[in-house]
Amino acid sequence: MALTNDQPDNRVKTKGAWTAEEDQKLAHCIDIHGAKRWKTIALKSGLNRCGKSCRLRWLNYLRPNIKRGNITDAEEDMIIRLHKLLGNRWSLIAGRLPGRTDNEIKNYWNSHLSRKMNEDKTPLTSAAQEAMSKNSWKDISLSEEDNAKEVANSEINFNVDELANSEINFNVDEFFDFSSEGSDHLERVNKFLGLEEDPCLLRGGKHE
DNA sequence: AACGAAGTCAACCGCTAATTT
DNA sequence: GAAATTAGCGGTTGACTTCGT
């Protein structure tokens, strides 16, 4: 196997919590060199940290527009619905929640939502159910009887990977890729997720 | 007040995918 | 095309905090 960027050099690297001073050094270095080539950043910053650790710190805490804590009801609802659809694909879920990181979503799910979901099997919003039953997005062709039954069921719980592997043409990555699709597609996805209520999320997560 | 259990969350680890040489 | 390097992901760990007794 190839070497990875966390492959040890001979010096023992610092581990554990970051100090304010380390944060400052890292932010300064990224300001100069950009948020890439993390091994280089780790060296140039003068931090005794591996590149991987620097990257994680930047992505989860230091980069601009990070939101910390106070996950709103709307965000929580979104996480639940996205998790139903995507499973533990945290980065994809986080990608639909501006300012949130995959790590934060993952932690929030594991500490708050997984238990909550076990307690009450929260159904999708009526809008989401309606969208599901209308089968209104282009790539999910639930033509098979079993799938149609499942959609009609209020406790929607289909496995995306199974769908992706079946003859049913459903590509999760494509479904959540808004780079090349028009606003139509985004609206369909948001409608599927029941996001009409939240104009911010409806804009694809762009806050003014 | 003391202590253990449970909860939370930042950070690390191992791995694969993507990119560069 | 192969090898090396880098980026990114999800699972897991462990330190710290909060809660209950």
Side-chain angles (χ1 to χ4, degrees):
Chain A
M1 181 168 171
L3 292 173
T4 58
N5 54 344
D6 56 327
Q7 204 78 15
D9 58 23
N10 293 327
R11 288 159 303 181
V12 177
K13 298 291 185 188
T14 306
K15 288 185 180 181
W18 281 67
T19 65
E21 191 189 351
E22 284 179 309
D23 282 347
Q24 205 173 4
K25 281 183 181 175
L26 179 61
H28 182 246
C29 193
I30 288 170
D31 207 32
I32 294 168
H33 297 100
K36 54 188 175 183
R37 313 283 295 190
W38 294 103
K39 203 171 183 176
T40 308
I41 294 282
L43 284 171
K44 301 230 174 194
S45 63
L47 295 166
N48 189 30
R49 298 268 185 178
C50 67
K52 204 171 185 174
S53 181
C54 293
R55 175 186 161 272
L56 197 71
R57 184 67 185 172
W58 172 256
L59 290 178
N60 287 344
Y61 299 93
L62 299 178
R63 82 183 145 106
N65 305 322
I66 286 284
K67 277 193 247 172
R68 307 289 312 285
N70 296 323
I71 290 184
T72 64
D73 288 347
E75 285 174 313
E76 182 179 305
D77 194 43
M78 177 82 155
I79 292 166
I80 290 166
R81 276 183 269 124
L82 283 167
H83 189 270
K84 263 186 194 290
L85 181 66
L86 300 170
N88 296 358
R89 298 180 72 173
W90 307 114
S91 64
L92 262 179
I93 294 171
R96 296 293 300 145
L97 294 162
R100 300 295 183 186
T101 67
D102 55 352
N103 208 34
E104 187 177 21
I105 303 289
K106 179 170 60 181
N107 282 333
Y108 189 73
W109 178 269
N110 288 333
S111 58
H112 295 85
L113 298 181
S114 60
R115 206 176 320 119
K116 187 175 173 180
M117 292 303 284
N118 286 335
E119 283 167 12
D120 55 17
K121 303 270 186 181
T122 308
L124 296 183
T125 64
S126 57
Q129 288 179 32
E130 189 190 352
M132 286 288 286
S133 63
K134 281 183 180 169
N135 188 18
S136 61
W137 60 94
K138 70 171 186 182
D139 284 328
I140 304 176
S141 53
L142 294 164
S143 54
E144 301 210 341
E145 202 177 317
D146 287 348
N147 290 309
K149 278 179 190 166
E150 202 154 16
V151 167
N153 193 328
S154 63
E155 190 184 321
I156 296 157
N157 183 27
F158 60 86
N159 181 314
V160 172
D161 288 328
E162 276 175 22
L163 268 182
N165 291 332
S166 73
E167 52 198 327
I168 299 161
N169 179 22
F170 177 69
N171 183 324
V172 175
D173 299 319
E174 222 172 88
F175 187 57
F176 282 91
D177 177 13
F178 305 102
S179 58
S180 59
E181 298 279 353
S183 59
D184 254 21
H185 179 62
L186 177 60
E187 277 178 33
R188 276 197 303 275
V189 173
N190 283 330
K191 180 157 189 171
F192 165 63
L193 294 167
L195 298 179
E196 299 93 320
E197 319 90 315
D198 187 341
C200 162
L201 293 170
L202 189 57
R203 284 193 299 273
K206 292 198 175 66
H207 290 79
E208 253 94 33

